[in-house]
Coordinates of all heavy atoms in Angstrom, one line a residue:
M58 N -195.4 93.7 -66.0 CA -196.2 94.4 -66.9 C -195.3 95.1 -67.9 O -194.4 95.6 -67.5 CB -197.2 95.3 -66.1 CG -198.0 96.2 -67.0 SD -199.1 97.3 -66.0 CE -200.2 97.7 -67.2
E59 N -196.0 95.4 -69.1 CA -195.3 96.2 -70.1 C -196.2 97.2 -70.7 O -197.3 96.7 -71.0 CB -194.7 95.3 -71.1 CG -193.8 96.0 -72.2 CD -193.0 95.2 -73.1 OE1 -192.2 94.4 -72.6 OE2 -193.3 95.1 -74.3
I60 N -195.8 98.4 -70.8 CA -196.6 99.4 -71.4 C -195.8 100.1 -72.5 O -194.6 100.1 -72.4 CB -197.3 100.4 -70.5 CG1 -196.2 101.3 -69.9 CG2 -198.2 99.8 -69.5 CD1 -196.7 102.4 -69.0
E61 N -196.5 100.6 -73.5 CA -195.8 101.4 -74.6 C -196.7 102.7 -74.8 O -197.9 102.6 -74.9 CB -195.7 100.6 -75.8 CG -194.9 101.3 -76.9 CD -194.6 100.4 -78.1 OE1 -194.3 99.2 -77.9 OE2 -194.8 100.9 -79.3
G62 N -196.0 103.9 -74.8 CA -196.7 105.0 -75.1 C -195.8 106.2 -75.0 O -194.6 106.1 -75.2
K63 N -196.3 107.4 -74.9 CA -195.6 108.7 -75.0 C -195.6 109.3 -73.7 O -196.6 109.4 -73.0 CB -196.4 109.6 -76.1 CG -195.8 110.9 -76.2 CD -196.4 111.7 -77.3 CE -197.7 112.3 -76.8 NZ -198.4 113.2 -77.7
I64 N -194.4 109.8 -73.4 CA -194.2 110.6 -72.1 C -195.0 111.9 -72.2 O -194.8 112.6 -73.2 CB -192.8 110.8 -71.7 CG1 -191.9 109.5 -71.5 CG2 -192.6 111.8 -70.5 CD1 -190.4 109.7 -71.3
V65 N -195.8 112.2 -71.2 CA -196.6 113.4 -71.2 C -195.9 114.5 -70.3 O -195.8 115.6 -70.6 CB -198.1 113.2 -70.8 CG1 -198.8 114.5 -70.8 CG2 -198.7 112.2 -71.8
T66 N -195.5 114.0 -69.2 CA -194.9 114.8 -68.2 C -193.8 114.1 -67.5 O -193.7 112.9 -67.3 CB -195.9 115.4 -67.1 OG1 -196.4 114.3 -66.4 CG2 -197.0 116.3 -67.6
V67 N -192.7 115.0 -67.0 CA -191.6 114.4 -66.3 C -191.6 115.3 -65.0 O -191.5 116.5 -65.1 CB -190.3 114.5 -66.9 CG1 -189.2 114.1 -66.1 CG2 -190.3 113.7 -68.2
M68 N -191.8 114.7 -63.9 CA -191.8 115.4 -62.6 C -190.4 115.2 -62.0 O -189.9 114.1 -61.8 CB -192.8 114.9 -61.6 CG -194.2 115.2 -62.1 SD -195.4 114.2 -61.2 CE -195.8 113.0 -62.5
E69 N -189.6 116.2 -62.0 CA -188.2 116.1 -61.5 C -188.0 116.1 -60.1 O -187.1 116.8 -59.6 CB -187.4 117.3 -62.2 CG -187.6 117.2 -63.7 CD -186.6 118.1 -64.5 OE1 -185.6 118.6 -63.9 OE2 -186.8 118.3 -65.7
S70 N -188.8 115.2 -59.4 CA -188.6 115.0 -58.0 C -187.7 113.8 -57.9 O -187.3 113.2 -59.0 CB -189.9 114.7 -57.4 OG -190.6 113.6 -58.0
W71 N -187.3 113.3 -56.8 CA -186.7 112.1 -56.6 C -187.4 111.1 -55.8 O -187.7 111.5 -54.6 CB -185.2 112.2 -56.1 CG -184.5 111.0 -56.1 CD1 -184.2 110.1 -55.2 CD2 -184.0 110.2 -57.4 NE1 -183.6 109.0 -55.6 CE2 -183.5 109.0 -57.0 CE3 -184.1 110.6 -58.7 CZ2 -183.0 108.1 -57.8 CZ3 -183.6 109.7 -59.6 CH2 -183.1 108.5 -59.2
P72 N -187.7 110.0 -56.2 CA -187.4 109.4 -57.5 C -188.1 110.1 -58.7 O -189.3 110.6 -58.5 CB -187.8 107.9 -57.4 CG -188.9 107.9 -56.3 CD -188.6 109.1 -55.4
L73 N -187.5 110.1 -59.8 CA -188.1 110.7 -61.0 C -189.5 110.0 -61.3 O -189.6 108.8 -61.1 CB -187.1 110.5 -62.1 CG -187.3 111.4 -63.4 CD1 -187.1 112.8 -63.1 CD2 -186.4 110.9 -64.5
Q74 N -190.4 110.7 -61.7 CA -191.7 110.2 -61.9 C -192.2 110.7 -63.3 O -191.9 111.8 -63.7 CB -192.7 110.8 -60.9 CG -192.4 110.3 -59.6 CD -193.4 110.8 -58.5 OE1 -194.6 110.8 -58.8 NE2 -192.9 111.3 -57.5
L75 N -192.9 109.9 -64.1 CA -193.2 110.1 -65.5 C -194.8 109.9 -65.5 O -195.3 109.0 -64.8 CB -192.7 109.2 -66.4 CG -191.2 109.1 -66.5 CD1 -190.8 107.9 -67.5 CD2 -190.4 110.4 -66.8
T76 N -195.4 110.6 -66.3 CA -196.9 110.4 -66.8 C -196.7 109.8 -68.1 O -196.2 110.6 -69.1 CB -197.8 111.5 -66.6 OG1 -197.7 112.0 -65.3 CG2 -199.2 111.1 -67.0
V77 N -197.2 108.7 -68.5 CA -197.1 108.1 -69.9 C -198.5 107.8 -70.4 O -199.3 107.2 -69.8 CB -196.3 106.8 -69.8 CG1 -196.2 106.2 -71.2 CG2 -194.9 107.0 -69.3
Q78 N -198.8 108.4 -71.6 CA -200.1 108.2 -72.2 C -200.0 106.9 -73.1 O -199.1 106.9 -74.0 CB -200.5 109.3 -73.0 CG -201.9 109.2 -73.7 CD -202.2 110.4 -74.5 OE1 -201.4 111.3 -74.7 NE2 -203.5 110.5 -75.0
T79 N -200.8 106.0 -72.9 CA -200.9 104.7 -73.7 C -202.3 104.7 -74.5 O -203.1 105.6 -74.3 CB -200.7 103.5 -72.9 OG1 -201.9 103.3 -72.1 CG2 -199.5 103.5 -72.1
Q80 N -202.5 103.6 -75.3 CA -203.8 103.6 -75.9 C -204.9 103.3 -75.0 O -206.0 103.6 -75.2 CB -203.7 102.5 -77.0 CG -202.8 102.8 -78.2 CD -202.9 101.7 -79.3 OE1 -203.3 100.6 -79.0 NE2 -202.4 102.0 -80.4
T81 N -204.5 102.8 -73.8 CA -205.6 102.4 -72.8 C -205.7 103.4 -71.7 O -206.5 103.3 -70.8 CB -205.3 101.1 -72.3 OG1 -204.0 101.0 -71.6 CG2 -205.4 100.0 -73.3
G82 N -204.9 104.4 -71.6 CA -205.1 105.5 -70.6 C -203.6 106.0 -70.2 O -202.6 105.8 -70.8
F83 N -203.7 106.8 -69.0 CA -202.5 107.3 -68.6 C -202.0 106.6 -67.3 O -202.7 106.1 -66.5 CB -202.8 108.7 -68.0 CG -203.1 109.8 -69.2 CD1 -204.4 109.8 -69.6 CD2 -202.1 110.5 -69.8 CE1 -204.7 110.8 -70.7 CE2 -202.3 111.4 -70.8 CZ -203.7 111.5 -71.3
Y84 N -200.6 106.3 -67.4 CA -199.9 105.6 -66.2 C -198.9 106.6 -65.6 O -198.2 107.3 -66.2 CB -199.1 104.4 -66.8 CG -200.1 103.3 -67.2 CD1 -200.7 103.3 -68.4 CD2 -200.3 102.2 -66.4 CE1 -201.5 102.3 -68.8 CE2 -201.1 101.2 -66.7 CZ -201.7 101.1 -68.0 OH -202.5 100.1 -68.3
D85 N -198.9 106.5 -64.2 CA -197.9 107.2 -63.4 C -196.8 106.2 -63.2 O -197.0 105.0 -62.7 CB -198.5 107.6 -62.1 CG -199.5 108.6 -62.2 OD1 -199.4 109.5 -63.1 OD2 -200.6 108.5 -61.6
V86 N -195.5 106.5 -63.7 CA -194.4 105.6 -63.5 C -193.3 106.2 -62.7 O -192.9 107.4 -62.9 CB -193.8 105.4 -65.0 CG1 -192.7 104.5 -64.9 CG2 -194.9 104.8 -65.9
V87 N -192.9 105.5 -61.7 CA -191.8 105.9 -60.8 C -190.6 105.1 -61.2 O -190.6 103.9 -61.3 CB -192.3 105.7 -59.3 CG1 -191.0 106.0 -58.4 CG2 -193.5 106.3 -59.0
L88 N -189.5 105.9 -61.3 CA -188.1 105.2 -61.5 C -187.5 104.8 -60.3 O -187.8 105.5 -59.2 CB -187.3 106.2 -62.3 CG -187.4 106.2 -63.8 CD1 -188.7 106.9 -64.2 CD2 -186.2 106.9 -64.4
R89 N -186.9 103.7 -60.3 CA -186.1 103.3 -59.1 C -184.6 103.6 -59.3 O -184.2 103.9 -60.4 CB -186.4 101.7 -58.9 CG -187.8 101.4 -58.8 CD -188.1 100.0 -58.8 NE -187.0 99.0 -59.5 CZ -187.1 97.7 -59.4 NH1 -188.2 97.1 -59.0 NH2 -186.2 97.1 -60.0
L90 N -183.8 103.4 -58.2 CA -182.4 103.6 -58.4 C -181.8 102.7 -59.4 O -180.8 103.0 -60.1 CB -181.7 103.3 -57.1 CG -181.8 104.4 -55.9 CD1 -181.3 103.9 -54.7 CD2 -181.4 105.7 -56.4
D91 N -182.3 101.5 -59.6 CA -181.8 100.5 -60.5 C -182.6 100.4 -61.9 O -182.3 99.5 -62.6 CB -181.8 99.1 -59.9 CG -183.1 98.5 -59.5 OD1 -184.0 99.3 -59.5 OD2 -183.1 97.4 -59.2
T92 N -183.4 101.4 -62.2 CA -184.1 101.4 -63.4 C -183.1 101.5 -64.6 O -182.3 102.5 -64.6 CB -185.2 102.5 -63.5 OG1 -186.2 102.3 -62.5 CG2 -185.9 102.5 -64.8
Q93 N -183.2 100.7 -65.5 CA -182.3 100.7 -66.7 C -183.0 101.4 -67.9 O -184.2 101.1 -68.1 CB -181.9 99.3 -67.2 CG -181.0 99.3 -68.3 CD -180.5 97.9 -68.7 OE1 -180.8 97.0 -68.1 NE2 -179.9 97.9 -69.9
I94 N -182.4 102.4 -68.3 CA -182.9 103.3 -69.4 C -182.0 103.1 -70.7 O -180.8 103.3 -70.5 CB -183.0 104.7 -69.1 CG1 -183.8 104.9 -67.7 CG2 -183.6 105.5 -70.2 CD1 -183.7 106.3 -67.1
T95 N -182.6 102.6 -71.8 CA -181.8 102.5 -72.9 C -182.4 103.2 -74.2 O -183.6 103.4 -74.2 CB -181.7 100.9 -73.4 OG1 -183.0 100.4 -73.6 CG2 -181.0 100.1 -72.2
Q96 N -181.5 103.5 -75.1 CA -181.9 104.1 -76.5 C -180.9 103.5 -77.4 O -179.7 103.6 -77.2 CB -181.9 105.6 -76.4 CG -182.4 106.2 -77.6 CD -182.5 107.6 -77.5 OE1 -181.9 108.3 -76.6 NE2 -183.3 108.3 -78.4
N97 N -181.4 103.0 -78.5 CA -180.6 102.3 -79.5 C -179.6 101.3 -78.8 O -178.5 101.3 -79.2 CB -179.8 103.3 -80.3 CG -180.7 104.4 -81.1 OD1 -181.8 103.9 -81.5 ND2 -180.5 105.5 -81.1
E98 N -180.2 100.5 -77.9 CA -179.4 99.5 -77.2 C -178.2 100.0 -76.4 O -177.3 99.3 -76.0 CB -178.9 98.5 -78.2 CG -180.0 97.8 -78.9 CD -179.6 96.7 -79.9 OE1 -178.3 96.3 -79.8 OE2 -180.4 96.2 -80.7
R99 N -178.2 101.3 -76.0 CA -177.2 101.9 -75.1 C -177.9 102.5 -73.9 O -178.9 103.0 -74.0 CB -176.4 103.1 -75.9 CG -175.6 102.6 -77.0 CD -174.8 103.7 -77.5 NE -173.9 103.2 -78.6 CZ -173.2 104.0 -79.3 NH1 -173.2 105.3 -79.2 NH2 -172.4 103.5 -80.2
I100 N -177.2 102.4 -72.9 CA -177.7 102.9 -71.5 C -177.6 104.4 -71.6 O -176.6 104.9 -71.9 CB -177.0 102.3 -70.4 CG1 -177.2 100.8 -70.3 CG2 -177.3 103.0 -69.1 CD1 -176.5 100.1 -69.2
V101 N -178.7 105.1 -71.1 CA -178.7 106.5 -71.2 C -179.0 107.1 -69.8 O -179.7 106.3 -69.0 CB -179.6 107.2 -72.2 CG1 -179.2 106.8 -73.7 CG2 -181.1 106.7 -72.1
D102 N -178.9 108.2 -69.5 CA -179.1 108.9 -68.3 C -180.6 109.3 -68.1 O -181.3 109.6 -69.2 CB -178.3 110.2 -68.2 CG -178.4 110.9 -66.9 OD1 -177.7 110.5 -66.0 OD2 -179.2 111.9 -66.8
P103 N -181.2 109.1 -66.9 CA -182.6 109.6 -66.7 C -182.9 110.9 -67.2 O -184.0 111.3 -67.5 CB -182.8 109.4 -65.3 CG -181.8 108.5 -64.8 CD -180.5 108.6 -65.7
G104 N -181.8 111.9 -67.2 CA -182.1 113.2 -67.6 C -182.5 113.4 -69.1 O -182.9 114.4 -69.6
S105 N -182.3 112.3 -69.8 CA -182.6 112.3 -71.2 C -184.0 112.0 -71.5 O -184.5 112.2 -72.6 CB -181.7 111.3 -72.0 OG -182.1 109.9 -71.6
L106 N -184.8 111.7 -70.5 CA -186.3 111.5 -70.6 C -187.0 112.9 -70.7 O -186.7 113.7 -69.8 CB -186.8 110.7 -69.5 CG -186.2 109.3 -69.4 CD1 -186.8 108.6 -68.1 CD2 -186.6 108.4 -70.6
H107 N -187.8 113.1 -71.6 CA -188.5 114.3 -71.7 C -189.9 114.1 -72.4 O -190.2 113.0 -73.0 CB -187.7 115.4 -72.4 CG -187.3 115.0 -73.8 ND1 -188.2 115.1 -74.9 CD2 -186.2 114.4 -74.3 CE1 -187.5 114.7 -76.0 NE2 -186.4 114.3 -75.7
P108 N -190.9 115.0 -72.3 CA -192.1 114.8 -72.9 C -192.1 114.6 -74.4 O -191.1 115.2 -75.1 CB -192.9 116.2 -72.6 CG -192.3 116.6 -71.4 CD -190.8 116.2 -71.4
D109 N -193.0 113.8 -74.9 CA -193.2 113.5 -76.3 C -192.3 112.4 -76.8 O -192.3 111.9 -77.9 CB -192.9 114.7 -77.3 CG -194.0 115.8 -77.1 OD1 -195.2 115.4 -76.9 OD2 -193.7 117.0 -77.2
L110 N -191.4 111.8 -76.0 CA -190.6 110.6 -76.2 C -191.6 109.4 -76.3 O -192.4 109.3 -75.4 CB -189.6 110.3 -75.3 CG -188.2 111.3 -75.4 CD1 -187.2 110.7 -74.3 CD2 -187.7 111.0 -76.8
Q111 N -191.4 108.5 -77.2 CA -192.1 107.2 -77.3 C -191.4 106.3 -76.5 O -190.1 106.2 -76.7 CB -192.4 106.9 -78.7 CG -193.3 105.7 -79.0 CD -194.8 106.1 -78.7 OE1 -195.1 107.3 -78.8 NE2 -195.6 105.1 -78.5
V112 N -191.9 105.6 -75.6 CA -191.2 104.7 -74.7 C -191.9 103.4 -74.5 O -193.1 103.3 -74.7 CB -190.9 105.3 -73.3 CG1 -189.9 106.4 -73.4 CG2 -192.2 105.7 -72.6
R113 N -191.1 102.3 -74.2 CA -191.6 101.0 -73.7 C -191.1 100.8 -72.4 O -190.0 100.9 -72.1 CB -191.1 99.9 -74.7 CG -191.7 98.5 -74.3 CD -191.2 97.3 -75.2 NE -191.7 97.6 -76.6 CZ -191.0 97.8 -77.7 NH1 -189.7 97.7 -77.5 NH2 -191.5 98.0 -78.9
I114 N -192.0 100.5 -71.4 CA -191.7 100.4 -70.1 C -192.0 99.0 -69.5 O -193.2 98.6 -69.7 CB -192.3 101.5 -69.2 CG1 -191.9 102.8 -69.7 CG2 -192.0 101.4 -67.7 CD1 -192.6 104.1 -69.1
R115 N -191.1 98.4 -68.7 CA -191.5 97.2 -68.1 C -191.4 97.3 -66.6 O -190.3 98.1 -66.3 CB -190.5 96.0 -68.5 CG -191.0 95.3 -69.7 CD -190.2 94.2 -70.0 NE -189.0 94.7 -70.7 CZ -188.1 93.9 -71.3 NH1 -188.0 92.7 -71.1 NH2 -187.2 94.6 -72.0
G116 N -192.2 96.9 -65.8 CA -192.1 97.1 -64.4 C -193.3 96.4 -63.7 O -193.9 95.6 -64.2
Q117 N -193.3 96.8 -62.3 CA -194.3 96.2 -61.4 C -195.4 97.1 -61.1 O -195.1 98.2 -60.8 CB -193.6 95.7 -60.1 CG -194.5 94.9 -59.3 CD -193.7 94.3 -58.1 OE1 -192.6 94.6 -58.0 NE2 -194.3 93.4 -57.4
V118 N -196.6 96.6 -61.4 CA -197.8 97.5 -61.1 C -198.0 97.7 -59.6 O -197.7 96.7 -58.8 CB -199.0 96.9 -61.7 CG1 -200.3 97.6 -61.3 CG2 -198.9 96.7 -63.2
S119 N -198.4 98.9 -59.1 CA -198.7 99.2 -57.9 C -199.9 98.4 -57.3 O -200.8 98.2 -58.1 CB -198.9 100.7 -57.6 OG -199.5 100.9 -56.4
S120 N -199.7 97.9 -56.1 CA -200.9 97.1 -55.5 C -202.1 98.0 -55.2 O -203.1 97.5 -55.2 CB -200.4 96.3 -54.2 OG -199.9 97.2 -53.3
S121 N -201.8 99.2 -55.0 CA -202.9 100.2 -54.7 C -203.4 100.9 -55.8 O -204.6 101.4 -55.7 CB -202.5 101.1 -53.6 OG -201.4 101.9 -54.1
N122 N -202.9 100.9 -57.0 CA -203.3 101.6 -58.1 C -202.9 100.9 -59.4 O -201.7 100.8 -59.7 CB -202.7 103.1 -58.1 CG -203.3 103.8 -59.3 OD1 -203.9 103.4 -60.3 ND2 -202.9 105.2 -59.3
P123 N -203.8 100.3 -60.1 CA -203.5 99.6 -61.4 C -202.9 100.5 -62.5 O -202.5 100.0 -63.5 CB -204.8 98.9 -61.8 CG -205.9 99.7 -61.1 CD -205.3 100.3 -59.9
L124 N -203.0 101.8 -62.4 CA -202.6 102.7 -63.3 C -201.2 103.3 -63.0 O -200.8 104.4 -63.4 CB -203.5 103.8 -63.8 CG -204.7 103.2 -64.4 CD1 -205.7 104.3 -64.7 CD2 -204.5 102.5 -65.7
A125 N -200.5 102.8 -61.9 CA -199.2 103.2 -61.4 C -198.2 102.0 -61.4 O -198.6 100.9 -61.1 CB -199.4 103.8 -60.0
M126 N -197.0 102.3 -61.7 CA -196.0 101.2 -61.7 C -194.6 101.7 -61.4 O -194.4 102.9 -61.6 CB -196.0 100.5 -63.2 CG -195.6 101.4 -64.3 SD -195.7 100.6 -65.9 CE -194.7 99.2 -65.7
N127 N -193.8 100.9 -60.9 CA -192.4 101.0 -60.7 C -191.6 100.5 -61.9 O -191.8 99.4 -62.2 CB -191.9 100.4 -59.4 CG -192.5 101.0 -58.1 OD1 -192.4 102.1 -58.1 ND2 -192.9 100.2 -57.3
A128 N -190.8 101.3 -62.6 CA -190.0 100.9 -63.8 C -188.9 100.1 -63.4 O -188.1 100.6 -62.7 CB -189.8 102.1 -64.6
Q129 N -188.8 99.0 -64.1 CA -187.5 98.2 -64.1 C -186.7 98.6 -65.3 O -185.5 98.5 -65.2 CB -187.8 96.7 -64.0 CG -188.6 96.3 -62.8 CD -189.0 94.9 -62.8 OE1 -189.6 94.5 -63.8 NE2 -189.0 94.2 -61.7
M130 N -187.3 98.8 -66.4 CA -186.6 99.0 -67.7 C -187.4 100.0 -68.5 O -188.7 99.9 -68.6 CB -186.5 97.7 -68.4 CG -185.6 97.8 -69.7 SD -186.4 98.4 -71.2 CE -187.9 97.5 -71.4
I131 N -186.8 101.0 -69.1 CA -187.4 102.0 -70.0 C -186.6 101.9 -71.2 O -185.4 102.1 -71.2 CB -187.4 103.3 -69.4 CG1 -188.4 103.4 -68.2 CG2 -188.0 104.4 -70.5 CD1 -188.2 104.8 -67.4
E132 N -187.3 101.7 -72.3 CA -186.6 101.7 -73.7 C -187.1 102.9 -74.5 O -188.4 103.0 -74.6 CB -186.9 100.4 -74.4 CG -186.2 100.3 -75.8 CD -186.5 99.1 -76.6 OE1 -187.3 98.3 -76.1 OE2 -186.2 99.0 -77.8
V133 N -186.3 103.8 -74.8 CA -186.7 105.0 -75.6 C -186.7 104.4 -77.1 O -185.8 103.9 -77.6 CB -185.7 106.1 -75.5 CG1 -186.1 107.3 -76.4 CG2 -185.5 106.6 -74.0
L134 N -187.9 104.7 -77.7 CA -188.2 104.2 -79.0 C -187.9 105.1 -80.2 O -187.8 104.7 -81.3 CB -189.6 103.6 -79.2 CG -190.0 102.5 -78.1 CD1 -191.4 102.2 -78.2 CD2 -189.1 101.2 -78.3
Q135 N -187.8 106.4 -79.8 CA -187.5 107.4 -81.0 C -186.0 107.5 -81.1 O -185.2 107.5 -80.3 CB -188.2 108.7 -80.5 CG -189.6 108.7 -80.6 CD -190.2 109.9 -80.3 OE1 -189.7 110.9 -79.5 NE2 -191.5 110.3 -80.8

């Protein structure tokens, strides 16, 4: 699954969790140890994620909640 939207909140727990607002609603996104985060085609640290960033996220939807997903890849679009 792929979503695109704006980061609304970053919960600094481990694993890192994001709330992302898309045109169709809010998604809860959990980062994994192997989640790749890129900006301008360069790998960046998870600490660079913050509210108001526009992102594209690819990952697997939770079987128990269609508005939750595990991120495999996060691309920062701003």
Side-chain angles (χ1 to χ4, degrees):
M58 173 181 196
E59 183 173 295
I60 63 170
E61 188 173 315
K63 181 174 72 169
I64 296 175
V65 178
T66 58
V67 177
M68 291 164 261
E69 298 193 17
S70 58
W71 188 253
L73 195 66
Q74 298 176 48
L75 311 172
T76 303
V77 177
Q78 181 179 10
T79 71
Q80 291 182 346
T81 58
F83 291 87
Y84 286 81
D85 294 320
V86 179
V87 176
L88 277 69
R89 305 177 332 183
L90 287 175
D91 63 345
T92 299
Q93 181 178 346
I94 305 165
T95 61
Q96 183 172 21
N97 299 323
E98 299 181 15
R99 293 186 175 174
I100 294 177
V101 296
D102 186 82
S105 65
L106 298 173
H107 58 82
D109 295 323
L110 279 181
Q111 192 72 20
V112 292
R113 180 179 299 125
I114 301 172
R115 271 184 279 186
Q117 187 168 8
V118 177
S119 167
S120 58
S121 61
N122 181 354
L124 295 178
M126 65 188 298
N127 289 312
Q129 295 170 319
M130 186 280 307
I131 298 175
E132 179 184 358
V133 178
L134 301 174
Q135 291 180 332

